[in-house]
């Protein structure tokens, strides 16, 4: 049995979704599909929470907007008008419930984490109901299995939950056992699970990749396929390097590193559950489904020059905390990290020297993070500053640590391109080397590195 994840990017509009259901009808029998919401729906749901907090009149407006968006897609998916009406009836119950949640927020002027997570899952609830109905209207045997009914058990952490694998596995095995036949197509909404006390909890934004990995590992699937509108992992971002190439094979570590800086092919946590279970991940292109795509396995072959990809992210900034002997003073780092974590700020990485702690944060967090640590009393530092005009570059390839000369080759290429390296992080991963450059030098850096490792 395969587990196949379909992302919101493949469900952009009616024609795109139509293409997908035809592909599912052709290749999906006897397999489990984990779905994202239709494109943009989760954003609308979450933005709706803020609107509802401000004004109770907005609840019906949000619902109408969502209904219109979905109805347009449904028209492309289901030709039979009676079947469409039937689906509308099923969905109206879901929309009614959602509307009540928004009113609840308006009246109480409060959106608890529990409520936020519950609302955020409606995109997936709807897409799974729609695709399942569309397949059955084509004469296929399909059904929709909700995570709360299937028993995808989470640790209960709102907005950032993890699955409890042994319990989930036991539940899912028996749930599927009772519905699966060689013809059945099962749809499971991604993005969330249910805690042991019954709370709906999401796995964080973009978390339906992780959901699919949890399902694949739980039922010991033959493979986890991620259906995308792109070819797979590439040696660089095609926007920078149009002649970059597909990476046919990657190890779990390489894929995990590339999901932090790469083109958003996979949610960073996807690898976790499948790696433990030894299940491979195949990235498949929906426009060319017979192409092999990128395959992620334990035994993926090493690239000729070790490095498989040059990637980057601009969503990075540095919060610098200066004080003498910070590297030797216990407690200061934990004080700072605790302060940031209680402000809801994620630290992407930390680099310390004896006089400065540098925290790498998302650009959207940097101002808030800076203000937050300034409030620590007694003040444990002499000075703080932020840097925002940087980009994080990485070269990724399993074995770069043990193969002499890779780092030298990388930094020589960057030096020869006349680019100054702002900060280096090497040795924390066996499969990646990271460094910061000025944002305006990013393109030059990427070209220099791609030339040296791939031409
Ligand atoms: N729909 C959710 C989001 O947009 C989960 C996902 O698509 O992976 O974050
Ligand atoms: Mg995604």
């Amino acid at each position: 049995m395969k587990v196949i994840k379909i992302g919101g990017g493949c469900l952009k509009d009616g024609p795109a979704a139509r293409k997908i259901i035809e592909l599912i009808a052709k290749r999906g029998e006897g397999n489990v599909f984990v779905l994202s919401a239709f494109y943009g729906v989760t954003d609308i749901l979450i933005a709706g929470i803020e609107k509802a907090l401000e004004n109770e009149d907005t609840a019906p407006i949000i619902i109408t907007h969502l209904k219109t968006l979905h109805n347009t897609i449904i028209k492309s998916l289901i030709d039979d008008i009676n079947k469409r009406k039937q689906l509308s009836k099923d969905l109206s119950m879901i929309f009614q419930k959602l509307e009540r949640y928004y009113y609840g927020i308006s009246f109480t002027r409060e959106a608890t984490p529990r409520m936020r997570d519950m609302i955020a899952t409606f995109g997936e609830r709807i897409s799974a109901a729609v695709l399942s109905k569309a397949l059955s209207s084509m004469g296929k045997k399909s059904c929709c299995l909700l995570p709360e009914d299937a028993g995808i058990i989470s640790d209960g952490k709102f907005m950032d939950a993890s699955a409890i694998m042994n319990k989930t596995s036991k539940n899912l095995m028996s749930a599927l056992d009772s519905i699966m036949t060689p013809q059945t197509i099962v749809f499971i909404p991604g993005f969330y699970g249910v805690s042991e006390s019954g709370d709906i909890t999401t796995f964080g934004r973009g978390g339906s990749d992780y959901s699919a990995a949890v399902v694949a590992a739980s039922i010991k699937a033959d493979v986890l396929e991620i259906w995308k509108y792109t070819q797979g992992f590439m040696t660089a971002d095609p926007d920078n390097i149009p002649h970059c190439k597909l990476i046919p094979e990657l190890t779990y570590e390489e894929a995990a590193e590339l999901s932090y800086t790469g083109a958003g092919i996979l949610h960073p946590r996807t690898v976790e559950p499948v790696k433990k279970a030894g299940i491979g991940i195949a990235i498949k292109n929906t426009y060319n489904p017979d192409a092999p795509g990128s395959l992620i396995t334990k035994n993926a072959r090493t690239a000729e020059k070790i490095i498989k990809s040059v990637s980057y992210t601009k969503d990075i900034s540095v919060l610098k905390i200066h004080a003498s002997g910070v590297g030797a003073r216990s407690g200061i780092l934990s004080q700072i990290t605790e302060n940031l974590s209680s402000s809801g700020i994620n630290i992407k990485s930390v680099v310390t020297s004896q006089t400065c702690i540098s925290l790498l944060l998302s650009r959207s967090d940097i101002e808030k993070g800076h203000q937050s640590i300034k409030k620590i009393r007694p003040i444990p530092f002499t000075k703080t500053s932020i840097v925002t005009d940087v980009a994080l570059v990485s070269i990724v390839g399993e074995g770069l640590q043990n193969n002499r000369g890779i780092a030298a080759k990388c930094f020589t290429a960057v030096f020869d391109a006349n680019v100054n390296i702002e900060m280096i992080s090497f040795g924390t991963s066996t499969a990646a080397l990271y460094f910061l450059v000025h944002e305006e030098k990013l393109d030059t850096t990427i070209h220099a590195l791609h030339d040296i490792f791939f031409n």
Side-chain angles (χ1 to χ4, degrees), residues 5-8 35-38 40-43 46 120 123-124 190-191 204-210 267:
K5 149 80 203 299
I6 298 178
L35 300 181
S36 275
F38 288 110
V41 170
T42 312
D43 289 337
I46 292 173
E124 274 73 8
F191 189 35
R205 288 307 305 269
S208 56
D209 286 348
Y210 174 73
H267 187 271

Side-chain angles (χ1 to χ4, degrees), residues 12 74 138 306 372 384:
K12 228 181 168 88
I74 291 167
M138 294 164 90
I306 308 295
S372 177
T384 60

Side-chain angles (χ1 to χ4, degrees), residues 263-274:
I265 302 277
L266 274 188
H267 187 271
R269 288 173 64 201
T270 315
V271 169
E272 229 170 85
V274 279

